[in-house]
PDB file of all heavy atoms in Angstrom:
ATOM      1  N   THR U  29      67.160  10.839  29.645  1.00 79.00           N
ATOM      2  CA  THR U  29      68.007   9.673  29.513  1.00 79.00           C
ATOM      3  C   THR U  29      67.930   8.805  30.786  1.00 79.00           C
ATOM      4  O   THR U  29      67.815   7.593  30.718  1.00 79.00           O
ATOM      5  CB  THR U  29      69.399  10.029  29.191  1.00 79.00           C
ATOM      6  OG1 THR U  29      69.432  10.821  28.000  1.00 79.00           O
ATOM      7  CG2 THR U  29      70.286   8.799  28.967  1.00 79.00           C
ATOM      8  N   LEU U  30      68.044   9.476  31.963  1.00 82.00           N
ATOM      9  CA  LEU U  30      68.001   8.727  33.262  1.00 82.00           C
ATOM     10  C   LEU U  30      66.627   8.073  33.388  1.00 82.00           C
ATOM     11  O   LEU U  30      66.590   6.923  33.890  1.00 82.00           O
ATOM     12  CB  LEU U  30      68.275   9.685  34.363  1.00 82.00           C
ATOM     13  CG  LEU U  30      69.720  10.231  34.471  1.00 82.00           C
ATOM     14  CD1 LEU U  30      69.854  11.225  35.586  1.00 82.00           C
ATOM     15  CD2 LEU U  30      70.713   9.080  34.661  1.00 82.00           C
ATOM     16  N   GLU U  31      65.567   8.743  33.040  1.00 85.00           N
ATOM     17  CA  GLU U  31      64.224   8.149  33.146  1.00 85.00           C
ATOM     18  C   GLU U  31      64.134   6.950  32.211  1.00 85.00           C
ATOM     19  O   GLU U  31      63.596   5.908  32.578  1.00 85.00           O
ATOM     20  CB  GLU U  31      63.158   9.208  32.778  1.00 85.00           C
ATOM     21  CG  GLU U  31      61.732   8.713  32.951  1.00 85.00           C
ATOM     22  CD  GLU U  31      61.396   8.366  34.398  1.00 85.00           C
ATOM     23  OE1 GLU U  31      61.943   9.019  35.295  1.00 85.00           O
ATOM     24  OE2 GLU U  31      60.606   7.457  34.566  1.00 85.00           O
ATOM     25  N   TYR U  32      64.646   7.040  30.997  1.00 82.00           N
ATOM     26  CA  TYR U  32      64.634   5.949  30.028  1.00 82.00           C
ATOM     27  C   TYR U  32      65.415   4.771  30.596  1.00 82.00           C
ATOM     28  O   TYR U  32      65.043   3.599  30.448  1.00 82.00           O
ATOM     29  CB  TYR U  32      65.194   6.434  28.712  1.00 82.00           C
ATOM     30  CG  TYR U  32      65.136   5.357  27.630  1.00 82.00           C
ATOM     31  CD1 TYR U  32      63.951   5.023  27.037  1.00 82.00           C
ATOM     32  CD2 TYR U  32      66.295   4.690  27.267  1.00 82.00           C
ATOM     33  CE1 TYR U  32      63.897   4.043  26.044  1.00 82.00           C
ATOM     34  CE2 TYR U  32      66.248   3.690  26.284  1.00 82.00           C
ATOM     35  CZ  TYR U  32      65.052   3.375  25.678  1.00 82.00           C
ATOM     36  OH  TYR U  32      65.007   2.424  24.736  1.00 82.00           O
ATOM     37  N   GLN U  33      66.610   5.050  31.213  1.00 84.00           N
ATOM     38  CA  GLN U  33      67.407   3.973  31.787  1.00 84.00           C
ATOM     39  C   GLN U  33      66.676   3.214  32.899  1.00 84.00           C
ATOM     40  O   GLN U  33      66.742   2.011  33.004  1.00 84.00           O
ATOM     41  CB  GLN U  33      68.700   4.551  32.292  1.00 84.00           C
ATOM     42  CG  GLN U  33      69.690   4.896  31.185  1.00 84.00           C
ATOM     43  CD  GLN U  33      70.976   5.501  31.719  1.00 84.00           C
ATOM     44  OE1 GLN U  33      71.105   5.852  32.901  1.00 84.00           O
ATOM     45  NE2 GLN U  33      71.948   5.640  30.826  1.00 84.00           N
ATOM     46  N   LYS U  34      65.931   3.982  33.743  1.00 87.00           N
ATOM     47  CA  LYS U  34      65.187   3.363  34.783  1.00 87.00           C
ATOM     48  C   LYS U  34      64.110   2.439  34.213  1.00 87.00           C
ATOM     49  O   LYS U  34      63.924   1.280  34.685  1.00 87.00           O
ATOM     50  CB  LYS U  34      64.484   4.399  35.684  1.00 87.00           C
ATOM     51  CG  LYS U  34      65.415   5.182  36.573  1.00 87.00           C
ATOM     52  CD  LYS U  34      64.614   6.193  37.351  1.00 87.00           C
ATOM     53  CE  LYS U  34      65.540   7.180  38.062  1.00 87.00           C
ATOM     54  NZ  LYS U  34      64.806   8.300  38.716  1.00 87.00           N
ATOM     55  N   VAL U  35      63.398   2.928  33.191  1.00 87.00           N
ATOM     56  CA  VAL U  35      62.345   2.053  32.555  1.00 87.00           C
ATOM     57  C   VAL U  35      63.002   0.832  31.903  1.00 87.00           C
ATOM     58  O   VAL U  35      62.480  -0.283  32.079  1.00 87.00           O
ATOM     59  CB  VAL U  35      61.579   2.889  31.530  1.00 87.00           C
ATOM     60  CG1 VAL U  35      60.660   2.024  30.706  1.00 87.00           C
ATOM     61  CG2 VAL U  35      60.809   4.044  32.198  1.00 87.00           C
ATOM     62  N   ALA U  36      64.127   0.991  31.249  1.00 85.00           N
ATOM     63  CA  ALA U  36      64.774  -0.123  30.558  1.00 85.00           C
ATOM     64  C   ALA U  36      65.263  -1.121  31.594  1.00 85.00           C
ATOM     65  O   ALA U  36      65.105  -2.366  31.419  1.00 85.00           O
ATOM     66  CB  ALA U  36      65.939   0.413  29.733  1.00 85.00           C
ATOM     67  N   LEU U  37      65.799  -0.666  32.698  1.00 87.00           N
ATOM     68  CA  LEU U  37      66.250  -1.536  33.767  1.00 87.00           C
ATOM     69  C   LEU U  37      65.104  -2.375  34.324  1.00 87.00           C
ATOM     70  O   LEU U  37      65.234  -3.609  34.548  1.00 87.00           O
ATOM     71  CB  LEU U  37      66.987  -0.730  34.870  1.00 87.00           C
ATOM     72  CG  LEU U  37      67.564  -1.527  36.067  1.00 87.00           C
ATOM     73  CD1 LEU U  37      68.695  -2.432  35.494  1.00 87.00           C
ATOM     74  CD2 LEU U  37      68.097  -0.641  37.119  1.00 87.00           C
ATOM     75  N   LYS U  38      63.977  -1.701  34.565  1.00 89.00           N
ATOM     76  CA  LYS U  38      62.809  -2.386  35.077  1.00 89.00           C
ATOM     77  C   LYS U  38      62.357  -3.488  34.093  1.00 89.00           C
ATOM     78  O   LYS U  38      62.033  -4.590  34.529  1.00 89.00           O
ATOM     79  CB  LYS U  38      61.694  -1.349  35.289  1.00 89.00           C
ATOM     80  CG  LYS U  38      60.418  -1.937  35.823  1.00 89.00           C
ATOM     81  CD  LYS U  38      59.344  -0.904  35.967  1.00 89.00           C
ATOM     82  CE  LYS U  38      58.018  -1.571  36.341  1.00 89.00           C
ATOM     83  NZ  LYS U  38      56.901  -0.638  36.197  1.00 89.00           N
ATOM     84  N   ILE U  39      62.351  -3.160  32.806  1.00 87.00           N
ATOM     85  CA  ILE U  39      61.914  -4.160  31.811  1.00 87.00           C
ATOM     86  C   ILE U  39      62.880  -5.353  31.777  1.00 87.00           C
ATOM     87  O   ILE U  39      62.439  -6.504  31.698  1.00 87.00           O
ATOM     88  CB  ILE U  39      61.833  -3.499  30.405  1.00 87.00           C
ATOM     89  CG1 ILE U  39      60.653  -2.484  30.384  1.00 87.00           C
ATOM     90  CG2 ILE U  39      61.666  -4.504  29.292  1.00 87.00           C
ATOM     91  CD1 ILE U  39      60.642  -1.615  29.159  1.00 87.00           C
ATOM     92  N   LEU U  40      64.177  -5.069  31.821  1.00 86.00           N
ATOM     93  CA  LEU U  40      65.156  -6.160  31.837  1.00 86.00           C
ATOM     94  C   LEU U  40      65.032  -7.056  33.023  1.00 86.00           C
ATOM     95  O   LEU U  40      65.109  -8.327  32.942  1.00 86.00           O
ATOM     96  CB  LEU U  40      66.586  -5.640  31.743  1.00 86.00           C
ATOM     97  CG  LEU U  40      66.960  -4.968  30.395  1.00 86.00           C
ATOM     98  CD1 LEU U  40      68.301  -4.279  30.532  1.00 86.00           C
ATOM     99  CD2 LEU U  40      66.983  -6.036  29.280  1.00 86.00           C
ATOM    100  N   VAL U  41      64.815  -6.465  34.219  1.00 88.00           N
ATOM    101  CA  VAL U  41      64.661  -7.264  35.449  1.00 88.00           C
ATOM    102  C   VAL U  41      63.400  -8.066  35.388  1.00 88.00           C
ATOM    103  O   VAL U  41      63.391  -9.261  35.755  1.00 88.00           O
ATOM    104  CB  VAL U  41      64.714  -6.326  36.692  1.00 88.00           C
ATOM    105  CG1 VAL U  41      64.322  -7.098  37.959  1.00 88.00           C
ATOM    106  CG2 VAL U  41      66.112  -5.749  36.860  1.00 88.00           C
ATOM    107  N   GLU U  42      62.306  -7.476  34.949  1.00 88.00           N
ATOM    108  CA  GLU U  42      61.033  -8.178  34.797  1.00 88.00           C
ATOM    109  C   GLU U  42      61.136  -9.265  33.758  1.00 88.00           C
ATOM    110  O   GLU U  42      60.416 -10.245  33.833  1.00 88.00           O
ATOM    111  CB  GLU U  42      59.886  -7.206  34.442  1.00 88.00           C
ATOM    112  CG  GLU U  42      59.484  -6.330  35.577  1.00 88.00           C
ATOM    113  CD  GLU U  42      58.436  -5.308  35.192  1.00 88.00           C
ATOM    114  OE1 GLU U  42      58.079  -5.239  33.988  1.00 88.00           O
ATOM    115  OE2 GLU U  42      58.014  -4.523  36.035  1.00 88.00           O
ATOM    116  N   GLY U  43      62.056  -9.134  32.766  1.00 86.00           N
ATOM    117  CA  GLY U  43      62.235 -10.134  31.720  1.00 86.00           C
ATOM    118  C   GLY U  43      63.031 -11.333  32.195  1.00 86.00           C
ATOM    119  O   GLY U  43      63.161 -12.273  31.466  1.00 86.00           O
ATOM    120  N   GLY U  44      63.584 -11.273  33.386  1.00 87.00           N
ATOM    121  CA  GLY U  44      64.275 -12.464  33.905  1.00 87.00           C
ATOM    122  C   GLY U  44      65.770 -12.290  34.237  1.00 87.00           C
ATOM    123  O   GLY U  44      66.398 -13.175  34.746  1.00 87.00           O
ATOM    124  N   LEU U  45      66.336 -11.136  33.896  1.00 86.00           N
ATOM    125  CA  LEU U  45      67.757 -10.910  34.290  1.00 86.00           C
ATOM    126  C   LEU U  45      67.860 -10.483  35.680  1.00 86.00           C
ATOM    127  O   LEU U  45      66.940  -9.783  36.207  1.00 86.00           O
ATOM    128  CB  LEU U  45      68.364  -9.827  33.373  1.00 86.00           C
ATOM    129  CG  LEU U  45      68.614 -10.128  31.913  1.00 86.00           C
ATOM    130  CD1 LEU U  45      69.143  -8.928  31.181  1.00 86.00           C
ATOM    131  CD2 LEU U  45      69.573 -11.343  31.764  1.00 86.00           C
ATOM    132  N   ASP U  46      68.988 -10.888  36.374  1.00 88.00           N
ATOM    133  CA  ASP U  46      69.117 -10.337  37.722  1.00 88.00           C
ATOM    134  C   ASP U  46      69.651  -8.878  37.593  1.00 88.00           C
ATOM    135  O   ASP U  46      70.002  -8.421  36.497  1.00 88.00           O
ATOM    136  CB  ASP U  46      70.095 -11.166  38.553  1.00 88.00           C
ATOM    137  CG  ASP U  46      71.519 -11.192  38.037  1.00 88.00           C
ATOM    138  OD1 ASP U  46      71.936 -10.235  37.358  1.00 88.00           O
ATOM    139  OD2 ASP U  46      72.215 -12.216  38.297  1.00 88.00           O
ATOM    140  N   LYS U  47      69.587  -8.139  38.681  1.00 89.00           N
ATOM    141  CA  LYS U  47      69.840  -6.714  38.604  1.00 89.00           C
ATOM    142  C   LYS U  47      71.266  -6.383  38.120  1.00 89.00           C
ATOM    143  O   LYS U  47      71.464  -5.395  37.383  1.00 89.00           O
ATOM    144  CB  LYS U  47      69.579  -6.082  39.996  1.00 89.00           C
ATOM    145  CG  LYS U  47      69.533  -4.611  39.922  1.00 89.00           C
ATOM    146  CD  LYS U  47      68.833  -4.045  41.160  1.00 89.00           C
ATOM    147  CE  LYS U  47      68.701  -2.558  40.973  1.00 89.00           C
ATOM    148  NZ  LYS U  47      67.547  -1.984  41.603  1.00 89.00           N
ATOM    149  N   VAL U  48      72.245  -7.189  38.473  1.00 90.00           N
ATOM    150  CA  VAL U  48      73.633  -6.936  38.048  1.00 90.00           C
ATOM    151  C   VAL U  48      73.736  -7.127  36.526  1.00 90.00           C
ATOM    152  O   VAL U  48      74.349  -6.276  35.851  1.00 90.00           O
ATOM    153  CB  VAL U  48      74.603  -7.920  38.785  1.00 90.00           C
ATOM    154  CG1 VAL U  48      76.045  -7.772  38.255  1.00 90.00           C
ATOM    155  CG2 VAL U  48      74.582  -7.633  40.276  1.00 90.00           C
ATOM    156  N   GLN U  49      73.194  -8.239  35.971  1.00 89.00           N
ATOM    157  CA  GLN U  49      73.225  -8.431  34.554  1.00 89.00           C
ATOM    158  C   GLN U  49      72.494  -7.351  33.787  1.00 89.00           C
ATOM    159  O   GLN U  49      72.906  -6.863  32.744  1.00 89.00           O
ATOM    160  CB  GLN U  49      72.627  -9.834  34.183  1.00 89.00           C
ATOM    161  CG  GLN U  49      73.494 -10.986  34.574  1.00 89.00           C
ATOM    162  CD  GLN U  49      72.786 -12.299  34.298  1.00 89.00           C
ATOM    163  OE1 GLN U  49      71.576 -12.387  34.489  1.00 89.00           O
ATOM    164  NE2 GLN U  49      73.525 -13.268  33.821  1.00 89.00           N
ATOM    165  N   ALA U  50      71.382  -6.969  34.339  1.00 87.00           N
ATOM    166  CA  ALA U  50      70.555  -5.918  33.705  1.00 87.00           C
ATOM    167  C   ALA U  50      71.283  -4.618  33.670  1.00 87.00           C
ATOM    168  O   ALA U  50      71.266  -3.897  32.666  1.00 87.00           O
ATOM    169  CB  ALA U  50      69.195  -5.774  34.437  1.00 87.00           C
ATOM    170  N   THR U  51      71.959  -4.285  34.752  1.00 87.00           N
ATOM    171  CA  THR U  51      72.723  -3.042  34.836  1.00 87.00           C
ATOM    172  C   THR U  51      73.886  -3.033  33.825  1.00 87.00           C
ATOM    173  O   THR U  51      74.167  -2.024  33.134  1.00 87.00           O
ATOM    174  CB  THR U  51      73.280  -2.814  36.266  1.00 87.00           C
ATOM    175  OG1 THR U  51      72.136  -2.835  37.159  1.00 87.00           O
ATOM    176  CG2 THR U  51      73.970  -1.439  36.376  1.00 87.00           C
ATOM    177  N   GLU U  52      74.549  -4.191  33.699  1.00 87.00           N
ATOM    178  CA  GLU U  52      75.649  -4.307  32.771  1.00 87.00           C
ATOM    179  C   GLU U  52      75.169  -4.167  31.295  1.00 87.00           C
ATOM    180  O   GLU U  52      75.788  -3.478  30.504  1.00 87.00           O
ATOM    181  CB  GLU U  52      76.373  -5.639  32.917  1.00 87.00           C
ATOM    182  CG  GLU U  52      77.227  -5.761  34.174  1.00 87.00           C
ATOM    183  CD  GLU U  52      77.803  -7.175  34.403  1.00 87.00           C
ATOM    184  OE1 GLU U  52      77.498  -8.064  33.583  1.00 87.00           O
ATOM    185  OE2 GLU U  52      78.500  -7.319  35.368  1.00 87.00           O
ATOM    186  N   ALA U  53      74.056  -4.822  31.010  1.00 85.00           N
ATOM    187  CA  ALA U  53      73.493  -4.708  29.664  1.00 85.00           C
ATOM    188  C   ALA U  53      73.033  -3.290  29.369  1.00 85.00           C
ATOM    189  O   ALA U  53      73.298  -2.770  28.232  1.00 85.00           O
ATOM    190  CB  ALA U  53      72.255  -5.632  29.557  1.00 85.00           C
ATOM    191  N   LEU U  54      72.470  -2.646  30.341  1.00 83.00           N
ATOM    192  CA  LEU U  54      72.054  -1.227  30.164  1.00 83.00           C
ATOM    193  C   LEU U  54      73.246  -0.355  29.895  1.00 83.00           C
ATOM    194  O   LEU U  54      73.238   0.509  29.023  1.00 83.00           O
ATOM    195  CB  LEU U  54      71.305  -0.800  31.436  1.00 83.00           C
ATOM    196  CG  LEU U  54      70.428   0.420  31.327  1.00 83.00           C
ATOM    197  CD1 LEU U  54      69.310   0.182  30.346  1.00 83.00           C
ATOM    198  CD2 LEU U  54      69.841   0.749  32.705  1.00 83.00           C
ATOM    199  N   HIS U  55      74.339  -0.566  30.669  1.00 83.00           N
ATOM    200  CA  HIS U  55      75.542   0.246  30.470  1.00 83.00           C
ATOM    201  C   HIS U  55      76.106   0.011  29.089  1.00 83.00           C
ATOM    202  O   HIS U  55      76.499   0.976  28.426  1.00 83.00           O
ATOM    203  CB  HIS U  55      76.559  -0.120  31.570  1.00 83.00           C
ATOM    204  CG  HIS U  55      77.841   0.617  31.391  1.00 83.00           C
ATOM    205  ND1 HIS U  55      77.983   1.984  31.643  1.00 83.00           N
ATOM    206  CD2 HIS U  55      79.076   0.210  31.033  1.00 83.00           C
ATOM    207  CE1 HIS U  55      79.190   2.360  31.361  1.00 83.00           C
ATOM    208  NE2 HIS U  55      79.891   1.320  31.061  1.00 83.00           N
ATOM    209  N   ARG U  56      76.163  -1.260  28.642  1.00 82.00           N
ATOM    210  CA  ARG U  56      76.703  -1.529  27.303  1.00 82.00           C
ATOM    211  C   ARG U  56      75.865  -0.867  26.257  1.00 82.00           C
ATOM    212  O   ARG U  56      76.382  -0.261  25.269  1.00 82.00           O
ATOM    213  CB  ARG U  56      76.746  -3.062  27.085  1.00 82.00           C
ATOM    214  CG  ARG U  56      77.913  -3.758  27.642  1.00 82.00           C
ATOM    215  CD  ARG U  56      78.084  -5.148  27.056  1.00 82.00           C
ATOM    216  NE  ARG U  56      76.854  -5.959  27.030  1.00 82.00           N
ATOM    217  CZ  ARG U  56      76.353  -6.698  27.993  1.00 82.00           C
ATOM    218  NH1 ARG U  56      77.034  -6.801  29.143  1.00 82.00           N
ATOM    219  NH2 ARG U  56      75.215  -7.354  27.861  1.00 82.00           N
ATOM    220  N   PHE U  57      74.554  -0.945  26.415  1.00 82.00           N
ATOM    221  CA  PHE U  57      73.652  -0.350  25.425  1.00 82.00           C
ATOM    222  C   PHE U  57      73.863   1.134  25.327  1.00 82.00           C
ATOM    223  O   PHE U  57      73.991   1.690  24.221  1.00 82.00           O
ATOM    224  CB  PHE U  57      72.171  -0.661  25.812  1.00 82.00           C
ATOM    225  CG  PHE U  57      71.187  -0.019  24.854  1.00 82.00           C
ATOM    226  CD1 PHE U  57      70.904  -0.562  23.658  1.00 82.00           C
ATOM    227  CD2 PHE U  57      70.496   1.111  25.291  1.00 82.00           C
ATOM    228  CE1 PHE U  57      70.013   0.019  22.808  1.00 82.00           C
ATOM    229  CE2 PHE U  57      69.582   1.701  24.424  1.00 82.00           C
ATOM    230  CZ  PHE U  57      69.328   1.185  23.188  1.00 82.00           C
ATOM    231  N   PHE U  58      73.840   1.858  26.469  1.00 78.00           N
ATOM    232  CA  PHE U  58      73.941   3.299  26.442  1.00 78.00           C
ATOM    233  C   PHE U  58      75.307   3.781  26.040  1.00 78.00           C
ATOM    234  O   PHE U  58      75.485   4.725  25.287  1.00 78.00           O
ATOM    235  CB  PHE U  58      73.521   3.892  27.793  1.00 78.00           C
ATOM    236  CG  PHE U  58      72.036   4.072  27.852  1.00 78.00           C
ATOM    237  CD1 PHE U  58      71.254   3.031  28.398  1.00 78.00           C
ATOM    238  CD2 PHE U  58      71.380   5.146  27.351  1.00 78.00           C
ATOM    239  CE1 PHE U  58      69.889   3.179  28.490  1.00 78.00           C
ATOM    240  CE2 PHE U  58      69.999   5.280  27.372  1.00 78.00           C
ATOM    241  CZ  PHE U  58      69.262   4.278  27.961  1.00 78.00           C
TER     242      PHE U  58
END
Side-chain angles (χ1 to χ4, degrees):
T29 303
L30 292 174
E31 185 63 32
Y32 183 74
Q33 287 178 349
K34 287 179 191 174
V35 171
L37 183 63
K38 180 182 173 193
I39 291 170
L40 290 171
V41 170
E42 287 175 357
L45 289 178
D46 64 29
K47 195 161 184 148
V48 174
Q49 288 177 320
T51 305
E52 289 173 359
L54 198 62
H55 178 70
R56 278 194 315 272
F57 176 79
F58 277 93

